[in-house]
Amino acid sequence: GVRGSHRSVSSLTAAPRVPRGVELAIGAKVRPVLLLQDRPLGRLPDLVALKLARLGKLSATARARIVAQRSPLFWFLGRDPARYGLRQEAAIDVASIVRIHPSAITGGPVALLDDDVMAEVGERLARVLDLDLSALVRREAAAILREALDR
């Protein structure tokens, strides 16, 4: 389309038509991701993950903001990439949520993030996506209070 032009959502998401009997080969690269579900509830057939950004591909200014944890869009994984099974420094790209079919996972976990980091990533994700979680928090708090009072 022309730069600045607007197309309908249906035209942007329409699947290409592939004639019957034609094989479609799609290349893919293996990339590390952060799986957001340790024990999926089975509500989705896929797993939900966030992509990782390699810091070497970013500008010095962007790298400095990410390393200092001053970018709400990224969580820096630290100066020891091997700790997370990586070959180079990376950050969790909080805005890059993806669904991955379990068959696309090529191996087991190479590292685990501690609970505090996962909580921070979850909070950043909710803020970046501008999710209103107030009703959920109220219901959960009320359930915890009822449970405590019933004891």
Side-chain angles (χ1 to χ4, degrees):
V2 177
R3 187 176 199 156
S5 68
H6 299 283
R7 299 187 330 194
S8 70
V9 172
S10 60
S11 70
L12 292 173
T13 59
R17 306 281 183 236
V18 178
R20 289 184 185 193
V22 174
E23 265 187 51
L24 182 63
I26 299 174
K29 293 181 181 179
V30 176
R31 297 277 187 224
V33 294
L34 171 65
L35 293 177
L36 296 176
Q37 300 159 304
D38 187 26
R39 293 177 297 278
L41 299 175
R43 293 184 181 134
L44 292 173
D46 300 331
L47 300 169
V48 178
L50 294 174
K51 295 179 185 178
L52 301 184
R54 293 178 287 195
L55 296 191
K57 293 191 166 201
L58 303 175
S59 71
T61 304
R63 246 187 338 268
R65 283 183 48 80
I66 291 168
V67 168
Q69 299 289 23
R70 289 194 322 260
S71 173
L73 298 177
F74 295 94
W75 177 267
F76 180 54
L77 287 171
R79 296 257 182 222
D80 181 15
R83 175 180 177 197
Y84 298 109
L86 304 171
R87 286 182 238 150
Q88 53 188 296
E89 287 184 336
I92 300 163
D93 183 347
V94 178
S96 68
I97 191 164
V98 294
R99 288 172 51 174
I100 301 173
H101 191 274
S103 67
I105 304 293
T106 60
V110 294
L112 296 174
L113 297 181
D114 63 39
D115 291 342
D116 292 337
V117 172
M118 286 302 294
E120 176 65 29
V121 169
E123 286 179 29
R124 286 188 188 202
L125 181 62
R127 290 182 196 284
V128 165
L129 296 177
D130 199 20
L131 299 176
D132 180 2
L133 301 175
S134 58
L136 175 63
V137 170
R138 275 194 303 276
R139 280 193 297 275
E140 292 294 322
I144 291 169
L145 182 59
R146 278 192 305 277
E147 185 178 309
L149 293 174
D150 288 345
R151 289 184 184 169

